[in-house]
Structures are given as C-alpha cells and as structure tokens.
Amino acid sequence: MYSKKNTKNFENIINKINSEKNVEFVIFTGNNISTPNKNELKIFLKKANKLNTPYYIVLGQKDVNLKKHLGKKEYMKTVRKNNRTHFFIKSPNYIFNKKDIIFIVADGSKEVIPTSIGYYKEDVILWLDENLEKYENKNVIIIQHYPIIPPIQKETHYTYKADEYLKLLSEYKNVKAVIAGHFNTNSEKLVNGVLHITTQNAPKYRIIDILDYETKSPTFWSTIKE
C-alpha cells in the first residue's frame, strides 16, 4: 500500500523487486493506496511505473469510494492513463495471459459503501463462469483482493456468499490457484485441488514460481521476502 507516510518503504520495495532475478510481472492484490484519492493514486502509479516488469492491479476496499469522488470507473480510467500495462483494460474485471496460463482478475470491492466484507456480485460470478468455460483447456489462476477461503477467522473480514463462488469453482478442473490479499497474512490452503494463497502487505512481498505450467498439474513454489 502506498501512502505519503510510507513513501520510502514503498520505493524500497520497488527497488527490491527490481533486484530480483527472473520476475516476469508483479500483482498488487488490492488496497494499493491508503485512501480513495485520485492524486494519491497517480503518485502510486508513478512510483509503480519504475518496476522493470509489467504490473497488474486489483481493487480493495481502500481504493474506491464514490462519496470521495473515486469510483471504479474513474479509478480504472486513471490507471489506464498512467500505467503502461493497463492501457487496454477498462474494467476491474479483466484477463491476461502469461506462458499459456490464463490469469483472471475478479473484483469483489464495493464503491458505494466500502467495507472489509467482500462481495463478488452475480454479474462477476456469471462472467467468471463464462470465462472458465471458455478457457476450460487452459490452466487458470484467479487473482482477487478478498479470499474465498479465509486464512484466519476474523469477524470483520469475510466474503459474502463465498459458498456460491466455491460451488462455481467445483464445476471446473482448470482453476489451479486463487491468489488474494486483504487479511495481511501469508497463507496457503489446498481445497478441492485449488491452492488458495493470501499475501501480506508491505514491507513483505511474495515471490511465486509456477513450475510445470505447461502440464495439467502445475506446482507452486512460494517465497516470502521483505
């Protein structure tokens, strides 16, 4: 997360990631800025642009708020204008691919009344269903802010109707992992053949290596760094 108070820490993380070998892309798993403010978003993007690799963005509850004049539409418009990776992305729900793996970014944030409770609306679930079927012969990794398998029990942090989402995943064999943030906890849980990974906030970051990605049974090797 970027904020004026932790500018140096954020810049240090960018420099550390740039010093890593063989990093192909970076994912910010939500709560990218401390408050939904367009100017702060622009500064975040300016600093993230110093990464040596492409980067992709997920929305969290701290990123958007219509009452503060930064809704999802304006957020993504600002990202497109100030980011070399997202110039083709118009929605917080989008798809990209790397080495024949399909990455699906699913948005569970709320812009009207942002809370720590995630909600993947019906239209997002339908969109996921369509694309999981479309790419049924490809390995798929889903990226989102709110996990559907929580790493810890926390009354203030959960995903509404997570059972419906899990039911959808059970209908497909191509989903290999779901990577999320939100809990500020590093965790890995294997549920029904899907690896649910959560990541921690700065100053820690996670390096994920995907091995045997060309097979139907890729494996994941994860390293926590700071």
Side-chain angles (χ1 to χ4, degrees):
M1 178 192 299
Y2 169 80
S3 70
K4 291 181 180 179
K5 293 182 179 180
N6 76 340
T7 296
K8 289 186 178 180
N9 286 335
F10 188 80
E11 291 174 343
N12 286 338
I13 291 173
I14 298 297
N15 291 333
K16 287 179 180 178
I17 294 173
N18 282 339
S19 69
E20 298 281 353
K21 294 181 179 179
N22 303 319
V23 173
E24 295 189 36
F25 61 95
V26 172
I27 297 173
F28 292 97
T29 54
N31 288 351
N32 308 306
I33 50 181
S34 62
T35 184
N37 178 282
K38 190 174 179 178
N39 288 330
E40 188 165 294
L41 175 59
K42 287 182 177 179
I43 295 172
F44 161 78
L45 293 168
K46 182 178 180 180
K47 294 185 180 300
N49 281 337
K50 294 181 180 179
L51 286 164
N52 293 334
T53 63
Y55 64 93
Y56 300 90
I57 289 176
V58 183
L59 298 185
Q61 78 270 18
K62 294 184 179 181
D63 290 305
V64 290
N65 189 329
L66 281 174
K67 288 185 178 180
K68 295 185 178 181
H69 310 292
L70 189 60
K72 295 182 183 183
K73 185 176 180 179
E74 186 63 25
Y75 191 104
M76 297 308 296
K77 180 180 179 181
T78 302
V79 171
R80 288 198 307 275
K81 286 185 175 180
N82 295 275
N83 168 273
R84 64 183 184 276
T85 303
H86 282 64
F87 65 90
F88 64 96
I89 297 170
K90 296 183 178 180
S91 166
N93 299 292
Y94 61 93
I95 296 171
F96 65 96
N97 65 81
K98 300 287 182 180
K99 289 188 174 179
D100 217 30
I101 297 177
I102 303 299
F103 291 84
I104 299 179
V105 177
D107 176 40
S109 65
K110 293 173 284 185
E111 61 184 355
V112 178
I113 306 177
T115 69
S116 57
I117 299 171
Y119 180 30
Y120 297 95
K121 295 181 180 179
E122 184 178 355
D123 60 336
V124 176
I125 297 298
L126 289 173
W127 177 79
L128 275 171
D129 192 4
E130 291 172 0
N131 283 287
L132 290 178
E133 182 177 4
K134 178 180 178 180
Y135 296 107
E136 62 181 349
N137 294 320
K138 299 284 187 179
N139 288 327
V140 172
I141 296 174
I142 299 175
I143 313 292
Q144 54 197 42
H145 179 64
Y146 301 91
I148 48 175
I149 298 293
I152 56 175
Q153 294 300 318
K154 197 172 182 180
E155 291 183 0
T156 57
H157 288 55
Y158 65 91
T159 297
Y160 182 63
K161 292 187 177 181
D163 54 335
E164 294 183 5
Y165 194 148
L166 288 169
K167 183 178 182 297
L168 172 66
L169 293 187
S170 70
E171 296 173 1
Y172 292 94
K173 300 299 182 184
N174 53 338
V175 180
K176 305 304 177 181
V178 178
I179 301 174
H182 191 43
F183 277 77
N184 192 22
T185 300
N186 283 306
S187 173
E188 296 180 12
K189 293 185 178 183
L190 186 64
V191 179
N192 295 328
V194 179
L195 185 61
H196 294 264
I197 301 172
T198 58
T199 61
Q200 196 167 351
N201 292 344
K204 294 186 177 181
Y205 60 97
R206 183 188 283 260
I207 301 290
I208 300 176
D209 291 310
I210 305 174
L211 310 176
D212 299 322
Y213 59 85
E214 71 279 2
T215 72
K216 292 296 182 180
S217 301
T219 57
F220 298 82
W221 181 264
S222 183
T223 307
I224 310 301
K225 297 200 173 184
E226 62 179 318

